[in-house]
Amino acid sequence: MRVTCRILAAFAVVALWCGAASAEVTLKAVMHSDVKIVDPIWTTAYITRNHGYMIYDTLFAMDEKGEVKPQMVEKYTESPDKLTFAFTLRDGLLWHDGAPVTAEDCVASLKRWGARDSMGQKLMSSVAALAAPDARTIRMTLKEPYGLVLQTLAKPGANVPFMMPKRVAETDPGKQITDFTGSGPFIFKADEWRPGEKAVYLKNTKYKPRSEPASGLAGAKVAKVDRVEWIWIADAQTQVNALINGEVDFVEAPPHDLLPLLRADKNIELLAFNPAGRQNALRFNVLHRPFDNPKIRLAVAYALNQKDLLDSVIGDPKWYLECKSMFPCGSPLQSTKGWDDKFGSDFAKARALLQEAGYDGTPVVLMQSTDIVSLANLAPVTKSLMEKAGFKVDLQAMDWQTLVTRRTKKDPPAAGGWHAFLTSWASVDILDPVATSFLNASCDKASFGWPCDPALEKLRDAFAKETDPTKQKAIAEAVQLRAVEYPTHLQLGQYVQPQAFRRNVTGLLPAPTLALWNIEVK
């Protein structure tokens, strides 16, 4: 009998008469980065955000159409004066350890998130009180009407307002959590986590999904596989070979130059789950010379050009778009106002600005991420263009997770700090001046780079309180003009990143960010 069962198992035949249970279904995925940081409030790194969506849940979520829908919330009310919101949690929500989710947990989670996130900070600055009058009710009282309450609570990108147990959420926002208890559709197997190798998630059999169909990040989050393994493969060609050979089921960010190879394989399917795409960005650290001088930062905008940068990592123009707007081209706030003459590699203009600003030849420490294909070549091209404009550039290569940790340091560049690095944002995360984290210019409260500009903050506040779309558009253009005078970052063009998966994998949801529930492996 034992030999017979082994033979049947080898041919994947269900044999109940052998006493065998149905086989465990595992999804093996290669993500865009290794995961070394697992606190999605401490960092804005997208790999950590993806991890967050696996194990945590949110009060509200954005569906496939970009509309805000309740998620952990069952119902909510807004007072006639628009100053008080009451959110009632769904019945039956449990933490992974079996304890019920309470409003106190959510209040603590919102406070920790609101101390770190750009949109959260703006919302919390308008909150007079945040309380839990009973176990299922969250009450938010505002100082004045605020037009982005639900949009902020449903924001799909980093930092996402994930709910955590109170004991975890009370962790200092400046420190990383060590308890990974969530309430989401998967459970993080911390004992199997091997940074540089893999991260493992198990189906949460006690998760109570919503009754609505899954749509984007909203609706029913039904885990249809028993186990998800994020397998880290640093080399892009090896990632693609593993997918073609059936060693993995899914590759989140296959390199664009290998897409023809994948498209030619009848067992592989390509899908861009986020057709709105991403925007490349160069982030400045304004704390140290030379980028403490806004004119020197602006000189970089004249030195760079989007086409060279996009060609270096994407190559095929059908996947990218040159776009000088700070807010994504194709979005309601698209405008090139103030930026039309930038990003044309006008080296003469750049050199004139450097001379005017008194640039003294201080080397710029430019951090390069080497293990994310869509970023790796951006830094060398940036270095070359900056040097043609008269900058001295010290290119320092490292893996993305090392860069993510180092960018939090305020130390001088000569002591392990930095001047600039390149990254990308999902378009959905930069749709307006409040959502765009890199426009947060609130000094020490701003994200890494720490821009400090009261004029920008005044405009961002005005946008948050305005509800008229025409007036919002005017404020957004004023933000762009101010960002020319006080650059916080540079927008370096848009691109679309398709995903690749084997045809026995179904259920990938179109969404603002990656959602691995609803997926089946047959």
Side-chain angles (χ1 to χ4, degrees):
M1 175 70 76
R2 186 173 300 167
V3 173
T4 303
C5 285
R6 285 175 179 167
I7 294 172
L8 290 172
F11 287 92
V13 176
V14 177
L16 296 177
W17 58 273
C18 283
S22 58
E24 180 181 78
V25 178
T26 299
L27 171 70
K28 294 187 177 183
V30 178
M31 308 302 282
H32 70 272
S33 170
D34 184 23
V35 57
K36 294 181 180 177
I37 300 170
V38 287
D39 183 347
I41 305 303
W42 187 82
T43 182
T44 58
Y46 277 5
I47 189 64
T48 308
R49 173 211 59 188
N50 290 355
H51 160 83
Y53 273 112
M54 295 291 285
I55 68 173
Y56 301 111
D57 216 340
T58 57
L59 298 178
F60 290 84
M62 188 177 290
D63 70 7
E64 182 179 347
K65 297 179 181 179
E67 297 176 355
V68 173
K69 302 293 183 182
Q71 190 60 32
M72 294 174 77
V73 167
E74 180 65 39
K75 61 182 180 179
Y76 68 95
T77 60
E78 181 181 3
S79 63
D81 62 5
K82 300 185 181 300
L83 292 179
T84 302
F85 286 79
F87 308 105
T88 302
L89 295 174
R90 289 195 288 130
D91 189 31
L93 299 177
L94 299 174
W95 298 114
H96 292 158
D97 59 10
V101 174
T102 69
E104 282 192 344
D105 296 318
C106 298
V107 167
S109 297
L110 288 173
K111 288 180 177 178
R112 183 170 188 261
W113 159 79
R116 298 281 299 191
D117 179 67
S118 177
M119 288 190 79
Q121 288 175 3
K122 284 299 179 197
L123 173 60
M124 290 303 176
S125 70
S126 293
V127 171
L130 192 59
D134 60 57
R136 290 181 57 195
T137 304
I138 305 161
R139 180 177 297 145
M140 178 183 291
T141 305
L142 302 174
K143 302 172 187 175
E144 56 189 344
Y146 187 84
L148 301 175
V149 173
L150 298 185
Q151 292 94 322
T152 302
L153 296 179
K155 71 185 301 276
N159 302 98
V160 178
F162 291 122
M163 296 298 104
M164 301 178 180
K166 181 181 178 182
R167 67 177 186 276
V168 180
E170 288 179 337
T171 303
D172 183 331
K175 298 180 179 179
Q176 296 185 48
I177 61 173
T178 56
D179 182 335
F180 313 118
T181 303
S183 67
F186 292 95
I187 298 170
F188 182 46
K189 283 281 288 174
D191 60 328
E192 293 190 52
W193 176 34
R194 301 288 184 271
E197 296 180 19
K198 70 176 181 179
V200 176
Y201 304 86
L202 301 183
K203 177 180 180 178
N204 178 11
T205 58
K206 296 181 180 179
Y207 181 76
K208 181 180 179 181
R210 294 190 67 87
S211 58
E212 305 93 333
S215 175
L217 301 173
K221 294 182 177 180
V222 179
K224 297 182 178 180
V225 296
D226 302 294
R227 179 181 175 97
V228 178
E229 295 182 358
W230 290 4
I231 309 298
W232 177 234
I233 302 173
D235 179 71
Q237 181 67 63
T238 306
Q239 290 180 13
V240 168
N241 290 343
L243 183 65
I244 291 173
N245 294 334
E247 297 163 8
V248 298
D249 305 298
F250 174 86
V251 175
E252 183 188 11
H256 288 75
D257 62 340
L258 294 180
L259 293 181
L261 176 64
L262 291 168
R263 191 180 289 111
D265 191 313
K266 67 181 189 309
N267 296 311
I268 305 297
E269 188 169 347
L270 297 175
L271 172 69
F273 73 84
N274 181 20
R278 306 174 67 84
Q279 182 193 80
N280 287 327
L282 182 142
R283 178 61 159 176
F284 297 110
N285 183 346
V286 308
L287 297 183
H288 307 292
R289 294 169 45 213
F291 288 150
D292 59 337
N293 188 321
K295 287 186 178 180
I296 294 179
R297 303 200 294 272
L298 187 60
V300 182
Y302 281 103
L304 301 184
N305 76 80
Q306 294 184 353
K307 187 178 188 306
D308 283 0
L309 291 161
L310 289 165
D311 279 341
S312 74
V313 290
I314 307 301
D316 190 339
K318 78 177 182 182
W319 293 107
Y320 74 67
L321 175 68
E322 293 179 67
C323 175
K324 295 183 180 183
S325 173
M326 297 202 81
F327 310 109
C329 285
S331 71
L333 297 183
Q334 172 186 341
S335 172
T336 59
K337 199 167 187 176
W339 293 91
D340 288 299
D341 64 335
K342 317 299 188 296
F343 309 121
S345 286
D346 186 342
F347 300 125
K349 179 66 174 178
R351 283 192 289 267
L353 275 173
L354 291 183
Q355 184 175 5
E356 182 181 339
Y359 175 58
D360 61 1
T362 299
V364 171
V365 173
L366 178 63
M367 296 192 292
Q368 178 196 14
S369 168
T370 57
D371 59 338
I372 296 182
V373 176
S374 61
L375 297 178
N377 289 339
L378 291 177
V381 174
T382 298
K383 169 184 165 69
S384 174
L385 294 173
M386 287 178 64
E387 288 177 338
K388 289 178 181 178
F391 284 95
K392 291 184 179 179
V393 181
D394 177 10
L395 186 67
Q396 298 188 11
M398 62 201 74
D399 65 71
W400 176 243
Q401 293 299 307
T402 299
L403 189 155
V404 165
T405 300
R406 184 170 169 181
R407 70 184 180 181
T408 66
K409 296 181 179 180
K410 295 183 177 181
D411 306 278
W418 56 281
H419 283 115
F421 70 93
L422 293 120
T423 185
S424 67
W425 287 94
S427 293
V428 73
D429 292 336
I430 52 172
L431 291 175
D432 63 61
V434 177
T436 305
S437 177
F438 280 175
L439 285 173
N440 182 344
S442 59
C443 311
D444 286 343
K445 291 183 179 180
S447 63
F448 36 82
W450 306 282
C452 189
D453 186 60
L456 260 179
E457 285 304 288
K458 185 177 180 180
L459 288 168
R460 293 177 71 239
D461 285 336
F463 185 92
K465 296 168 186 175
E466 184 55 66
T467 57
D468 184 309
T470 301
K471 293 180 180 179
Q472 284 184 331
K473 174 85 170 180
I475 295 170
E477 289 187 339
V479 167
Q480 288 205 163
L481 290 174
R482 180 57 190 165
V484 172
E485 299 171 344
Y486 189 91
T488 61
H489 68 288
L490 300 178
Q491 61 276 21
L492 299 176
Q494 295 173 217
Y495 70 95
V496 172
Q497 174 65 67
Q499 288 64 53
F501 50 95
R502 297 189 65 79
R503 290 190 182 276
N504 64 317
V505 175
T506 60
L508 185 65
L509 294 166
T513 187
L514 185 63
L516 290 182
W517 54 87
N518 200 58
I519 286 182
E520 296 182 78
V521 181
K522 299 178 180 178

